[in-house]
Amino acid sequence: MTQPPPPPPQQPPQGGGFGPPQDQPPQTPPPAAGPNLGKAPEPGYGYPQAPQAPQAPQTPPPAAPQTPPTPPQGYGYPQGAPAPQPPQGPPGYGYPGQQPGPYGQPQQAPQGQPGYGQPGYGQPGYGQQPGYGYPQQPTMPYQPQAGQPGGGKKLNTQMLIIVAAVVAIALIIGGGVWYASSGKDEGRQNDTAGQSGGTGGTDDDNGGTTSGKEKAPSDPSAKVLFQVPAPEVKNDSTVVVSGSWLTDKAYVKSGIAQIVGYDRDKGSELWKLPLAGPVCQASRHVTDDNLTAILYQPAMPTKADPSHGCSEIALIDLDAGKRLWTKTVKTGDQLINFDNITLSGKTVAVGSTSGGAAFDVSGKLLWSPKPTDSCYDAGYGGGEKLVAVRKCGSYDQRQLHIQTIDPKSGKVISEYKMTEGIEYASIVSTNPLVVAADVGDSAGDGSGISDFFSIDSKTGKLRTRISAPGEQFAARCEGITRVEACNLLAVGNDRLYLPTEEHDGTGKYSQTNEIVAFDLATGKQTGQRADAGDGYTISPLRMDGGNLIAYKRPPYDKGGQVVSIAGGSFKQTTLLQNPATESVRDVETSMSPEYSEFLYAEGHLYMSKVYASKRSTVREKEYLAVGFGTS
């Protein structure tokens, strides 16, 4: 591909930025059982491979994937010929110029040098962008490519920048994997990233907690509860359908310019809320009384005008199916088009390259862009606390300030300054505060992550830094403008839970992986490991008290699973087992954790798409959402 990369992000507004008020494929040798998680990987595991000679498939091919995007095949599915690996990014990983340390262990930089432990750092987070390249407006999320291996391999940054450039003229779109949280509290979450559970429960001998609200049923066998057909798209366009939530009464999902509440078991329509235009972004957080917030366009896109901007901020009552209010924010006479939206307590916060703003759930404006500021709030992380990613300086000389702020007043409580020159950062969790960044673009795989930063939100001091090379770990943060767009990871028990990249299993053609834990105080691995099982690939969904809820994507001949992993012993308990029939499996594997929204609670698993498009070839029926449930 020869397209030039898109131009660098636009500069901060002249005359000052804005923000809240401030005081200041299969291998031929016999496969190994799994990686040695205590040392650096040998060449082969997680490293670029040369294309190999085709091999005859041993099993029936998977069902044709949807278009677009082409979702990965079921993990562990026999591959006839391994696809050539995409070109990799810069050699090495971790801090630029340094060799990686032991597998997944943090690295330290000498005092006085920028980087580890020194003021400064940052990179990609959460926004309406295509994958993981330079920011553009409007843009689309990264889509898995047809030639990509089925095992969830990731493209490098350069490739994704090119993809971003190709789709930059399309409608603004968002994606991600969101998950339902157990229990109710203000700012509770429907997601994995930023999940800060694990504060309660009883300590066990391994230093974790064992409490959780999700209980294993007597029979975890599940059935399909309902399927929501994919909406019709009249024009040759792609329309965002991002956003899904669970309440005690309903499963709620965005459609084309509408939000619909469905019966949790039957899938029958309970209510429908029409919108003037498509949803651009949806908060993953929900208040105690089931309120959430969205960004949407003021009109439907057309061929002449494919996007009207994401200027409309709305508060939605998920129980009643009502829009409580809609707000806009201006800078001068111009409406601001926002890139991200979140909710913390009773505060709705939105960020953009034009600055940040916030409203109380009553509709009262709390703060908005101020022309006197020299920095601007690019976005916010919500949930139990509110954290701003504040950008100062020009492109290539950027300094990011990670600020924990009072959600009512916008007053800065604490601040951590990242190393100058890092353009983006992602908020993984606000309590405890965990930030992800691709330091020096060293991840090289499009994941947006080379390092995690554990920060004391009270003092703003760095607790520890965790090296997470893209070749070894499968978590993702989009981070260009969507500050909270992280998935395939979870935070709880003062630990960070990450999945490893896929590697050879014990069976012929099989692939598998593990979830490992890092201590957020020391940055070291705890020694805990949850194996996916041969042919399965495991991904963290969210915390359940002190336990970790995870999804196992199935091999070609089985159904997926939801499991609970004990916070201390890491013992796995099956909560849900999907049918292994081909028709059901085809629907399930058409929605992968990387590029779909997943919600699990009380024996119910919901999967849904984040966009809809007109398909040039329809090989089989496609669905917007599907619900599974145990008896």
Side-chain angles (χ1 to χ4, degrees):
M1 299 177 69
T2 59
Q3 296 99 321
Q10 62 189 75
Q11 304 298 320
Q14 297 299 319
F18 315 106
Q22 300 186 40
D23 294 333
Q24 255 284 320
Q27 311 220 355
T28 50
N36 181 346
L37 298 178
K39 70 181 185 71
E42 298 296 331
Y45 169 49
Y47 283 79
Q49 302 289 323
Q52 302 181 27
Q55 300 181 20
Q58 303 296 312
T59 57
Q66 63 163 347
T67 306
T70 304
Q73 296 170 343
Y75 295 164
Y77 196 95
Q79 302 294 317
Q85 299 293 327
Q88 301 298 309
Y93 43 78
Y95 190 76
Q98 293 190 354
Q99 294 299 315
Y103 186 93
Q105 297 300 320
Q107 303 174 18
Q108 300 296 326
Q111 294 296 321
Q113 294 185 7
Y116 312 133
Q118 301 300 320
Y121 255 103
Q123 197 267 346
Y126 194 51
Q128 289 145 212
Q129 303 304 36
Y132 313 98
Y134 287 95
Q136 303 176 47
Q137 293 185 352
T139 53
M140 297 172 59
Y142 161 68
Q143 304 174 10
Q145 303 300 304
Q148 210 169 337
K153 306 299 182 191
K154 296 175 285 187
L155 298 180
N156 66 12
T157 304
Q158 182 178 4
M159 181 73 71
L160 290 165
I161 290 173
I162 295 172
V163 173
V166 172
V167 299
I169 61 172
L171 143 78
I172 296 177
I173 246 177
V177 184
W178 303 353
Y179 305 95
S181 173
S182 297
K184 284 195 170 187
D185 52 26
E186 283 192 352
R188 65 189 174 91
Q189 302 175 349
N190 273 323
D191 68 316
T192 171
Q195 191 75 7
S196 57
T199 55
T202 304
D203 290 340
D204 61 20
D205 293 337
N206 294 302
T209 56
T210 56
S211 67
K213 295 183 178 180
E214 301 292 351
K215 305 302 180 184
S218 56
D219 181 4
S221 298
K223 63 180 180 180
V224 177
L225 299 176
F226 62 86
Q227 295 167 324
V228 179
E232 180 182 358
V233 178
K234 297 180 179 180
N235 299 322
D236 293 330
S237 61
T238 300
V239 181
V240 69
V241 289
S242 177
S244 58
W245 305 266
L246 268 180
T247 73
D248 295 337
K249 301 177 181 179
Y251 167 65
V252 183
K253 174 62 186 167
S254 294
I256 295 181
Q258 65 180 12
I259 299 175
V260 182
Y262 300 93
D263 183 279
R264 286 173 47 137
D265 294 305
K266 301 176 183 178
S268 54
E269 190 175 298
L270 300 178
W271 52 261
K272 181 185 295 183
L273 175 62
L275 300 170
V279 173
C280 301
Q281 297 294 328
S283 173
R284 58 182 60 185
H285 307 288
V286 179
T287 67
D288 186 50
D289 50 353
N290 289 326
L291 305 181
T292 195
I294 64 169
L295 286 170
Y296 69 97
Q297 296 188 45
M300 288 297 295
T302 63
K303 288 185 177 181
D305 194 353
S307 176
H308 297 279
C310 296
S311 59
E312 312 300 296
I313 309 161
L315 186 72
I316 307 298
D317 186 328
L318 297 173
D319 284 335
K322 294 182 179 180
R323 181 175 49 187
L324 301 182
W325 48 254
T326 298
K327 303 290 182 180
T328 59
V329 181
K330 290 184 177 182
T331 174
D333 295 330
Q334 291 290 111
L335 285 175
I336 296 177
N337 291 320
F338 291 99
D339 300 318
N340 57 78
I341 187 166
T342 194
L343 188 150
S344 179
K346 294 185 180 299
T347 297
V348 175
V350 287
S352 74
T353 54
S354 296
F359 294 85
D360 183 82
V361 293
S362 66
K364 176 185 176 182
L365 179 65
L366 299 176
W367 66 79
S368 61
K370 293 173 289 298
T372 57
D373 284 345
S374 58
C375 305
Y376 66 95
D377 288 0
Y380 301 92
E384 294 185 27
K385 296 187 178 182
L386 186 62
V387 176
V389 175
R390 189 164 177 82
K391 291 193 173 187
C392 299
S394 60
Y395 183 70
D396 279 343
Q397 291 183 320
R398 188 82 68 197
Q399 185 170 52
L400 303 182
H401 299 192
I402 309 301
Q403 299 177 334
T404 298
I405 60 180
D406 184 331
K408 295 182 179 179
S409 66
K411 180 180 179 181
V412 176
I413 297 171
S414 67
E415 178 179 81
Y416 173 71
K417 294 181 180 180
M418 305 191 87
T419 298
E420 184 177 308
I422 298 172
E423 186 69 18
Y424 310 105
S426 303
I427 305 298
V428 177
S429 169
T430 60
N431 187 31
L433 179 53
V434 180
V435 173
D438 184 0
V439 180
D441 296 325
S442 58
D445 62 351
S447 66
I449 304 169
S450 68
D451 300 87
F452 292 92
F453 300 84
S454 174
I455 302 168
D456 188 324
S457 62
K458 294 182 180 179
T459 66
K461 294 182 178 180
L462 182 69
R463 300 174 66 195
T464 190
R465 171 185 165 272
I466 299 170
S467 176
E471 294 91 342
Q472 299 172 16
F473 298 100
R476 294 172 175 271
C477 286
E478 192 262 85
I480 306 302
T481 58
R482 297 182 299 154
V483 170
E484 284 185 306
C486 294
N487 64 351
L488 307 183
L489 77 176
V491 173
N493 300 323
D494 206 33
R495 294 168 185 171
L496 170 67
Y497 299 98
L498 297 178
T500 64
E501 284 285 5
E502 290 183 49
H503 56 84
D504 289 342
T506 57
K508 191 174 183 180
Y509 301 116
S510 71
Q511 294 281 294
T512 189
N513 78 324
E514 302 78 29
I515 291 175
V516 296
F518 290 86
D519 190 308
L520 290 176
T522 66
K524 297 180 180 180
Q525 285 194 35
T526 65
Q528 297 165 307
R529 185 177 83 172
D531 295 322
D534 213 34
Y536 289 89
T537 301
I538 191 168
S539 304
L541 298 188
R542 63 173 175 86
M543 299 304 298
D544 173 34
N547 299 335
L548 175 66
I549 305 297
Y551 172 71
K552 290 186 176 182
R553 186 170 172 87
Y556 69 95
D557 58 349
K558 293 182 174 63
Q561 298 178 349
V562 175
V563 297
S564 177
I565 302 172
S569 67
F570 253 42
K571 177 183 177 181
Q572 297 184 38
T573 301
T574 301
L575 301 178
L576 179 144
Q577 171 69 61
N578 279 339
T581 59
E582 183 178 359
S583 60
V584 174
R585 193 174 63 249
D586 288 345
V587 174
E588 178 176 5
T589 57
S590 72
M591 301 186 191
S592 71
E594 291 93 333
Y595 310 107
S596 305
E597 296 173 351
F598 278 43
L599 298 158
Y600 176 82
E602 300 172 337
H604 292 68
L605 173 65
Y606 305 92
M607 304 175 176
S608 64
K609 304 285 178 64
V610 296
Y611 59 89
S613 62
K614 183 176 181 180
R615 300 171 298 280
S616 58
T617 301
V618 180
R619 299 178 182 174
E620 61 183 38
K621 191 173 182 62
E622 294 189 9
Y623 298 95
L624 173 66
V626 58
F628 299 92
T630 57
S631 300

